[in-house]
Amino acid sequence: TASLGLAVYSWWNASHAYQRDLGSLKDESKRLADEAQRNAVESVSQVLDRIEARLRQSIGESLGRDLMRFQAEAVSLVTIRESHLRLLARDYEGALRAARECYSSAQSGNTNYIAHAFDAMADTLRAAAKEGVSLSNQSIADVRTLVLNYPQLHQDGRAITVKELIDGM
């Protein structure tokens, strides 16, 4: 019976040690799994933060460019309307100035307004000539400089018309 008691005690002791070791392994496994999860979450969080920062920067730059383009288009729209109104009021200097401002804004916005600017300049130059109104040398020089510096002067009939009108003054 002593050997049976020793066997039971050995079995109990081994079982208890096994349970203790198993508990330790479970605790260690849980600790390692929790640590791995924290590290993974931290790593993914850092990657996502970098991606978010890049996206914010990219979106911000894109929105900034779009905003600048829309502002330039709004200025073009307003100045071409101003040019037409000044032409109706026979303010030829003001009409030319507004048309030049439209041209400048159109270069960084909607380039379709460049054609409108040249049309407004031509209309103003024709109206001033028809009325016998002399435009200032500065206004003529400003329009001449603008037209001569226009990169597509020789391909754009409207620009050519403005150049011819200026040359005839």
Side-chain angles (χ1 to χ4, degrees), residues 62-76 105 108-111:
S62 177
L63 289 176
R65 284 190 301 272
D66 287 346
L67 180 60
M68 295 295 284
R69 189 171 42 84
F70 292 144
Q71 286 174 335
E73 186 167 347
V75 169
S76 294
S105 294
S108 57
N110 184 343
T111 56

Side-chain angles (χ1 to χ4, degrees), residues 51-126:
I51 290 171
E52 179 187 16
R54 285 187 207 137
L55 283 173
R56 284 184 185 277
Q57 180 182 4
S58 177
I59 290 170
E61 290 170 0
S62 177
L63 289 176
R65 284 190 301 272
D66 287 346
L67 180 60
M68 295 295 284
R69 189 171 42 84
F70 292 144
Q71 286 174 335
E73 186 167 347
V75 169
S76 294
L77 179 63
V78 168
T79 54
I80 199 64
R81 299 262 189 253
E82 178 186 355
S83 180
H84 292 300
L85 291 172
R86 288 184 179 275
L87 180 60
L88 288 173
R90 292 187 170 90
D91 175 9
Y92 303 117
E93 296 282 338
L96 276 179
R97 184 178 56 254
R100 287 192 325 268
E101 289 173 13
C102 175
Y103 172 85
S104 294
S105 294
Q107 289 180 312
S108 57
N110 184 343
T111 56
N112 292 330
Y113 281 101
I114 290 174
H116 295 293
F118 284 134
D119 285 344
M121 288 178 211
D123 291 345
T124 301
L125 293 170
R126 284 186 194 110

Side-chain angles (χ1 to χ4, degrees), residues 116-148:
H116 295 293
F118 284 134
D119 285 344
M121 288 178 211
D123 291 345
T124 301
L125 293 170
R126 284 186 194 110
K130 183 178 178 184
E131 296 265 333
V133 174
S134 296
L135 297 167
S136 72
N137 291 337
Q138 185 63 51
S139 287
I140 294 170
D142 290 345
V143 172
R144 178 175 283 118
T145 300
L146 181 146
V147 171
L148 291 176

Side-chain angles (χ1 to χ4, degrees), residues 12-54:
W12 178 83
N13 194 26
S15 176
H16 182 59
Y18 173 77
Q19 290 299 324
R20 186 181 62 233
D21 289 346
L22 188 60
S24 292
L25 283 173
K26 283 182 183 178
D27 290 344
E28 182 66 13
S29 295
K30 183 172 179 351
R31 186 187 68 74
L32 290 173
D34 289 346
E35 186 177 323
Q37 181 183 8
R38 276 192 308 276
N39 289 341
V41 166
E42 185 178 317
S43 178
V44 168
S45 180
Q46 289 172 354
V47 169
L48 288 175
D49 287 346
R50 286 194 301 270
I51 290 171
E52 179 187 16
R54 285 187 207 137

